[in-house]
Amino acid sequence: MATEPGLHATSAQAEERGAVLALLPTAATLDFYALPASLQEQPLVQFAPQILAYLALGLWAMRNRSIVSRLGLEKGNVWNGLRWGLLTGLLLGCLNTFVILTVYPYLDYDITFLKTTPHGRLPLLVMVPWFICGIALFVELNFRGFLLGRLVALESGLWRSGSVQRLSPLALITCALIFAFDPFMVNTFRHLHWIALWDSLIWGIIWLRTRNLYITIVAHTVEVMVMYLAVRAALE
């Protein structure tokens, strides 16, 4: 049962149009690090890759059918999305909370700067649940639903092996790196942005195996809530 969604998606993606649009935010992220430091500090420049990603998503959606299915948002996926997303989010949330509160301080990394981030300055009742839910929804729609899905479509013609096609290693790794090194992510969370690398790999594998974006949306939401509440309490 686990391989059927992948086989179905691979067939659907073969007919896809405009998958190359996913290269726009990818290139923008890479280009950011070639800019002078003075430009990298500009908020609009930091958000440019994500802005391009949503524009590319809109253009891609206009050129294709079955957008809901391609993104992994079919109604039949909701229950499994809630169940497995909750479990994944709790596990990752506890793991990453331990890393932030225990491992990083042990290695002499500062975490008190988290109180001064935009997320740290917002009132608790704004962050939980509304802001975190909104961030998780749009980030997963962007990075897993659109970016990873389109990179998978571009990579599908490179391999003869069906198992390698379903794993899509190039797409998975590229998406994880683009997510972890998103300019806003790096500027806001500094050395903690490395946590996003293994998060993205796990969420990406889940999406590739299930083609269920609800799982990653819920997992992202729950994980961030666990980390946010624990870290906020620890730093007060």
Side-chain angles (χ1 to χ4, degrees), residues 174-188:
T174 299
C175 182
L177 289 172
I178 295 302
F179 179 66
F181 284 88
D182 175 77
F184 178 76
M185 175 86 70
V186 174
N187 183 73
T188 302

Side-chain angles (χ1 to χ4, degrees), residues 47-142:
F47 278 109
Q50 293 192 41
I51 294 172
L52 279 174
Y54 291 116
L55 290 174
L57 169 59
L59 292 173
W60 168 80
M62 293 171 61
R63 301 188 63 185
N64 290 279
R65 298 180 179 179
S66 304
I67 300 304
V68 170
S69 175
R70 292 179 189 274
L71 293 173
L73 290 171
E74 297 98 330
K75 291 182 179 179
N77 287 339
V78 173
W79 171 242
N80 279 336
L82 291 171
R83 181 175 56 176
W84 293 110
L86 177 61
L87 176 61
T88 304
L90 288 173
L91 291 174
L92 282 175
C94 292
L95 171 63
N96 289 337
T97 298
F98 173 78
V99 171
I100 294 171
L101 295 181
T102 304
V103 176
Y104 272 103
Y106 177 79
L107 296 174
D108 292 327
Y109 284 101
D110 173 49
I111 64 169
T112 59
F113 75 90
L114 290 170
K115 293 189 291 186
T116 65
T117 64
H119 308 74
R121 293 173 179 172
L122 285 174
L124 176 63
L125 294 180
V126 173
M127 280 296 296
V128 181
W130 315 111
F131 199 70
I132 290 176
C133 287
I135 291 175
L137 172 61
F138 284 101
V139 166
E140 290 306 308
L141 186 64
N142 177 5

Side-chain angles (χ1 to χ4, degrees), residues 6-80:
L7 291 171
H8 174 74
T10 300
S11 175
Q13 287 163 349
E15 306 169 0
E16 192 169 305
R17 296 180 178 181
V20 71
L21 288 166
L23 297 180
L24 289 177
T26 303
T29 301
L30 295 175
D31 289 343
F32 172 84
Y33 292 98
L35 296 174
S38 59
L39 287 178
Q40 290 184 6
E41 295 173 357
Q42 301 299 317
L44 183 59
V45 176
Q46 294 174 13
F47 278 109
Q50 293 192 41
I51 294 172
L52 279 174
Y54 291 116
L55 290 174
L57 169 59
L59 292 173
W60 168 80
M62 293 171 61
R63 301 188 63 185
N64 290 279
R65 298 180 179 179
S66 304
I67 300 304
V68 170
S69 175
R70 292 179 189 274
L71 293 173
L73 290 171
E74 297 98 330
K75 291 182 179 179
N77 287 339
V78 173
W79 171 242
N80 279 336

Side-chain angles (χ1 to χ4, degrees), residues 199-211:
D199 276 352
S200 187
L201 287 171
I202 292 171
W203 295 332
I205 291 171
I206 289 172
W207 189 88
L208 288 170
R209 292 291 295 170
T210 66
R211 291 306 199 271

Side-chain angles (χ1 to χ4, degrees), residues 121-167:
R121 293 173 179 172
L122 285 174
L124 176 63
L125 294 180
V126 173
M127 280 296 296
V128 181
W130 315 111
F131 199 70
I132 290 176
C133 287
I135 291 175
L137 172 61
F138 284 101
V139 166
E140 290 306 308
L141 186 64
N142 177 5
F143 284 97
R144 253 59 63 183
F146 173 65
L147 182 61
L148 178 58
R150 277 43 294 149
L151 291 176
V152 167
L154 292 174
E155 185 183 350
S156 62
L158 297 179
W159 313 109
R160 294 183 179 181
S161 169
S163 59
V164 177
Q165 282 186 355
R166 288 190 292 274
L167 180 59

